Amino acid sequence: MPEIGEIARIVHYLHEHLVGKTLTLVKAQHDENVYGKVGTTAAAFEKALTGKTVDNARQQGKYFWLVMSSPPHPLFHFGMAGWWKIRGQETAYYKPTKPPTEPPTWPPKYWKFALGTTSSTDLSQTEHAFVDYRRFARIRLIDCPASSIRQVSPLAENGPDPVIDRAILTEEWLVRKLRSKHVPVKALLLDQANISGIGNWVGDELLYDARIHPEQYSDTLTPAQMAQLHRSIIYVCATAVELKAESDRFPKTWLFKHRWGKGKKDDPQRLPSGEKIKYLKVGGRTSAIVPSVQRKTGEVARDITDDDDEEGEDEKKKKKEQQPARKKRGKKSEDSDDEEPSNQRRKKKTSKQTQLKEEEDPEADPTTRTRSSRRRR
């Protein structure tokens, strides 16, 4: 799922290729998930934007929006796999490992709307498209003055952005927030009602930087840990935004550089220093941690043992041989992203209650590319 740095990347491209231009063409195709669940339609989107000028592009956490020459203003959330494409520009924050097998088409596959523009200054044209193959993205129309967008729903229900709201997200503010809740610290960080923009990989990175175990309850952290956590939140989020989520430019010391090997035979799942990377579930999300430095210093949500971190390979092999034989199951394939939530690997829920929860706060159940399911026995 795109997080604070990836959204900053798109806002950067919007400033370069869309702000200051007039939308001469707006073509949208209706998707009840993307438009309907937040009370709008593709037809309403077309009518609201056609002929208007884009005055600005802004961001709060995982949300971003266009400031139009007059209301309503379109507000976007990428959900799990949405993205913004610009014809002739490479906006992606990662490079595909394989070259495309088919020539590019326009509008691109899975498009939800396409825009065509002209500029009042140089009449240069650009073409844009919003795509989402998983249909968890959300496109809203906010009918209020541009200066009030952050004071109305859904932005009003989201916490401060660590980059643009640094004056609010102070160390004192964070200490009060941590002490007011008795939840695993990573779960608190992922809840967008607390802080905007932190997703799975950013949460893991800043907890690694702060040397805090993700399962430790937030109100059991020491004052020193809380102060360090604040510094880590600001540092990791500001760096991701400044570098526009270009992972090749991330610091070599970041966990991000080494966390994506889960399930790969040729990956030792260790840092270059030799420290082991482990994976565990926190709030239904896969978390990457380095147990040798992220030690539990207080009560945790689920007490996991670190015995296997100290145990030699011979000891592990002996224990495995002593276990009763099990029927072999098909191997679960892994994408480069380990962020598939547990409810996607189980039978998918289709109740109205679940759909509404996913719609109203898609950040609460973030994911990226889909893992393939296990083969039947």
Side-chain angles (χ1 to χ4, degrees):
M1 165 183 274
E3 303 180 25
I4 189 169
E6 291 83 358
I7 302 305
R9 181 180 183 85
I10 281 303
V11 171
H12 164 78
Y13 277 103
L14 293 176
H15 276 279
E16 281 196 339
H17 301 280
L18 190 59
V19 171
K21 297 187 176 182
T22 300
L23 302 182
T24 54
L25 172 68
V26 180
K27 186 177 181 181
Q29 53 182 0
H30 190 69
D31 185 312
E32 189 59 30
N33 283 357
V34 176
Y35 293 97
K37 285 189 173 182
V38 286
T40 191
T41 64
F45 183 86
E46 288 184 1
K47 182 179 178 180
L49 270 63
T50 302
K52 290 186 180 179
T53 300
V54 180
D55 290 341
N56 203 351
R58 298 191 60 195
Q59 169 186 7
Q60 178 182 326
K62 299 180 185 180
Y63 283 97
F64 67 103
W65 63 97
L66 299 178
V67 176
M68 307 304 295
S69 50
S70 63
H73 311 281
L75 175 70
F76 311 103
H77 191 289
F78 281 142
M80 299 178 182
W83 197 243
W84 190 291
K85 295 193 174 188
I86 303 174
R87 194 168 191 175
Q89 298 289 327
E90 185 51 75
T91 60
Y93 53 93
Y94 63 90
K95 296 178 181 179
T97 56
K98 298 180 181 179
T101 57
E102 299 178 359
T105 60
W106 197 267
K109 198 173 182 181
Y110 308 115
W111 66 280
K112 302 305 171 185
F113 66 74
L115 308 176
T117 72
T118 59
S119 169
S120 59
T121 56
D122 58 11
L123 299 181
S124 61
Q125 296 183 343
T126 60
E127 293 181 89
H128 302 250
F130 187 107
V131 297
D132 180 26
Y133 75 95
R134 297 198 64 187
R135 304 174 64 215
F136 283 103
R138 298 293 180 258
I139 299 172
R140 293 172 167 87
L141 292 172
I142 308 298
D143 195 359
C144 73
S147 59
S148 302
I149 291 178
R150 296 191 66 190
Q151 281 73 57
V152 301
S153 185
L155 297 183
E157 288 81 55
N158 280 247
D161 181 298
V163 176
I164 64 176
D165 296 323
R166 200 173 297 186
I168 298 173
L169 209 164
T170 62
E171 181 181 327
E172 294 75 17
W173 181 94
L174 181 64
V175 168
R176 290 194 299 271
K177 180 67 68 174
L178 292 168
R179 288 177 175 169
S180 70
K181 298 179 182 292
H182 187 66
V183 295
V185 63
K186 185 179 179 184
L188 183 147
L189 294 171
L190 293 181
D191 186 345
Q192 303 300 294
N194 297 320
I195 302 174
S196 291
I198 297 175
N200 206 38
W201 81 258
V202 172
D204 285 349
E205 194 65 57
L206 62 87
L207 287 171
Y208 170 66
D209 185 76
R211 303 302 192 254
I212 293 174
H213 195 286
E215 289 183 322
Q216 186 162 335
Y217 283 115
S218 60
D219 56 346
T220 68
L221 298 176
T222 66
Q225 286 178 310
M226 293 182 181
Q228 179 57 56
L229 180 59
H230 178 262
R231 290 191 292 271
S232 297
I233 290 172
I234 301 302
Y235 162 64
V236 171
C237 292
T239 303
V241 168
E242 181 183 355
L243 299 180
K244 303 178 188 68
E246 293 180 17
S247 57
D248 290 345
R249 300 169 61 198
F250 285 171
K252 294 180 180 179
T253 56
W254 275 22
L255 180 63
F256 185 97
K257 296 284 190 177
H258 314 283
R259 62 166 289 161
W260 307 107
K262 183 185 176 188
K264 295 181 179 179
K265 290 182 179 179
D266 60 345
D267 194 294
Q269 296 181 23
R270 291 182 183 273
L271 297 176
S273 59
E275 296 165 311
K276 185 176 180 180
I277 300 172
K278 282 191 66 175
Y279 301 90
L280 57 128
K281 284 285 191 287
V282 181
R285 302 301 310 283
T286 298
S287 297
I289 71 166
V290 181
S292 60
V293 298
Q294 291 174 265
R295 296 190 177 278
K296 295 170 280 187
T297 62
E299 184 183 2
V300 296
R302 177 181 61 83
D303 194 21
I304 65 169
T305 65
D306 293 332
D307 294 343
D308 57 346
D309 296 316
E310 310 299 331
E311 197 170 55
E313 293 300 322
D314 292 339
E315 295 291 332
K316 294 180 185 178
K317 186 175 181 181
K318 187 183 296 183
K319 284 185 178 182
K320 188 174 181 180
E321 290 173 348
Q322 292 173 350
Q323 292 177 352
R326 294 183 179 180
K327 189 180 292 185
K328 289 186 177 181
R329 301 181 68 175
K331 183 182 176 182
K332 179 171 58 178
S333 67
E334 301 282 352
D335 288 333
S336 60
D337 197 318
D338 65 346
E339 301 179 8
E340 180 72 0
S342 57
N343 69 336
Q344 293 293 325
R345 291 191 297 274
R346 302 188 191 106
K347 182 177 179 181
K348 296 197 175 181
K349 299 177 182 179
T350 56
S351 68
K352 182 176 181 181
Q353 181 180 2
T354 301
Q355 291 174 347
L356 287 174
K357 181 179 179 182
E358 290 171 335
E359 181 279 308
E360 283 301 327
D361 187 11
E363 302 91 349
D365 187 26
T367 187
T368 54
R369 296 173 289 281
T370 311
R371 295 177 173 181
S372 61
S373 59
R374 293 182 176 176
R375 296 194 296 269
R376 295 183 178 178
R377 297 184 181 181

